[in-house]
Amino acid sequence: MGNADTSATAAAHMRTLREISGPLARKGDTSPSRAKPAHAPAPIDLGLLDHLEASRAEIVAAVRDANPAAGPAPLDEGIYQWMVDATPQLDEDRRRVHEALAYRQGLEHALRAGEEKVIRRHACPACRTWGLFWSRPAQRAACVNRYCSDAAGRRSTWTLSQLAHHHIATQAERRRTAT
């Protein structure tokens, strides 16, 4: 377990997202009373394209911050392996930050592809029960344990970044204590 596994998972989710994003069917009103558009729709979901570009830019910025001499970044899911290969000199803390970045992006890619079950594979960071689910309106993971709540009595919720950092820290702790 480690940076290579996290990067491979993020790359696999990005690959899946790219594969399902091909020419997407347009959702919306298809009633015959509507006027026909003057031009053809975009061959890919532009929101998805923006998401993939933002993800790539975030990885490139993190790598360039750690290693300004890193070679050119790939344009596909190979960017996660490039991040690992271009930053072998990182200390343990910075390496974990990079792992959490890749892990969070993997979660984001999976959620955009409709795979909300990736959230259920995480224990709640507060109560450690396996009761997390993805709340689309809040854009956060929420715990279903009724005893897991904040001081105001609201259910505990977690951002993808918080889940990623907790997951990576838990993995690091397991590696450290394994003998």
Side-chain angles (χ1 to χ4, degrees):
M1 292 254 188
N3 207 349
D5 291 338
T6 302
S7 297
T9 302
H13 286 302
M14 181 182 263
R15 187 173 26 264
T16 300
L17 193 56
R18 285 183 187 269
E19 288 170 1
I20 67 166
S21 72
L24 297 175
R26 289 299 199 194
K27 296 177 182 172
D29 186 14
T30 57
S31 64
S33 62
R34 304 265 313 170
K36 300 241 183 229
H39 52 80
I44 188 171
D45 180 356
L46 297 179
L48 175 62
L49 188 61
D50 289 343
H51 166 75
L52 292 172
E53 266 310 303
S55 297
R56 182 180 182 282
E58 187 177 18
I59 294 289
V60 169
V63 169
R64 297 277 185 234
D65 183 48
N67 181 6
L75 297 174
D76 60 2
E77 61 273 359
I79 194 150
Y80 294 104
Q81 188 59 45
W82 173 77
M83 178 174 67
V84 173
D85 296 342
T87 56
Q89 80 288 359
L90 294 180
D91 64 12
E92 185 68 18
D93 290 336
R94 289 201 60 199
R95 186 183 56 76
R96 275 197 230 145
V97 169
H98 278 220
E99 279 188 62
L101 170 64
Y103 194 81
R104 176 185 50 82
Q105 285 192 1
L107 291 174
E108 289 172 353
H109 300 330
L111 288 169
R112 289 204 54 119
E115 298 176 29
E116 293 183 0
K117 290 182 181 178
V118 296
I119 300 301
R120 292 211 169 269
R121 296 182 190 133
H122 296 86
C124 175
C127 67
R128 301 188 191 276
T129 62
W130 297 95
L132 291 182
F133 71 96
W134 183 244
S135 173
R136 280 188 194 177
Q139 291 294 296
R140 295 170 72 91
C143 183
V144 296
N145 182 350
R146 67 181 180 169
Y147 299 110
C148 184
S149 57
D150 63 11
R154 293 182 300 251
R155 120 179 24 237
S156 295
T157 61
W158 310 96
T159 65
L160 293 179
S161 183
Q162 290 170 321
L163 281 181
H165 283 284
H166 182 263
H167 177 79
I168 297 302
T170 302
Q171 277 187 336
E173 182 63 23
R174 284 185 194 139
R175 281 193 303 266
R176 190 181 65 73
T177 58
T179 53

